[in-house]
Amino acid sequence: MRLVIYSMLLLLIAIQYPLWLGKGGWLKVYEMEKQLELQQAKNSLLSLRNAKLTGDVKDLKEGSRAIEERARVEHGMLKEGEFFVQILPSEKSTSNAADGLKPTTTKQ
């Protein structure tokens, strides 16, 4: 009787092994689901980037405003009769802001 029980237990383990640890087992499925979720997240980010690039291409093909804006920002180009004015912050305010310190007063 013990031999039958042990042999049945051995057969049960032999049947369960491929289910849990085999090529298409639960552990592989779990790992593949994780990889799928990561890939879907990457794909959604890339599709957003593609949509933005598609909009940029459409603007560049159709209108002159996008071309003009890129020329101004990336190449510093100006139209005839325009002036470029750059306002620099004073040294005192930039040094305090850069250091993250507030001006302090001391009493003597």
Side-chain angles (χ1 to χ4, degrees):
M1 188 68 179
R2 283 186 184 175
L3 183 61
V4 172
I5 292 174
Y6 288 136
S7 63
M8 292 297 238
L9 185 60
L10 184 64
L11 285 174
L12 180 65
I13 291 172
I15 291 172
Q16 291 293 314
Y17 176 78
L19 178 66
W20 293 97
L21 303 172
K23 186 176 180 180
W26 291 106
L27 295 176
K28 283 282 191 189
V29 170
Y30 180 71
E31 290 175 9
M32 296 296 269
E33 284 177 352
K34 277 184 168 180
Q35 290 177 0
L36 178 66
E37 289 174 4
L38 289 173
Q39 190 62 45
Q40 286 175 340
K42 287 179 186 178
N43 288 350
S44 66
L45 290 175
L46 290 174
S47 65
L48 288 174
R49 189 184 113 218
N50 286 346
K52 182 182 176 200
L53 289 174
T54 302
D56 287 347
V57 168
K58 183 180 177 184
D59 286 345
L60 289 171
K61 282 183 178 179
E62 292 178 359
S64 62
R65 291 184 72 190
I67 297 170
E68 186 177 315
E69 178 184 345
R70 285 212 175 194
R72 289 175 185 271
V73 172
E74 294 177 5
H75 303 290
M77 298 179 83
L78 300 173
K79 286 183 179 178
E80 275 188 42
E82 285 186 332
F83 296 98
F84 176 75
V85 178
Q86 183 177 8
I87 301 173
L88 298 174
S90 64
E91 289 182 29
K92 184 177 181 182
S93 64
T94 56
S95 66
N96 287 339
D99 296 337
L101 302 173
K102 295 180 182 177
T104 58
T105 57
T106 57
K107 293 183 181 179
Q108 294 182 348

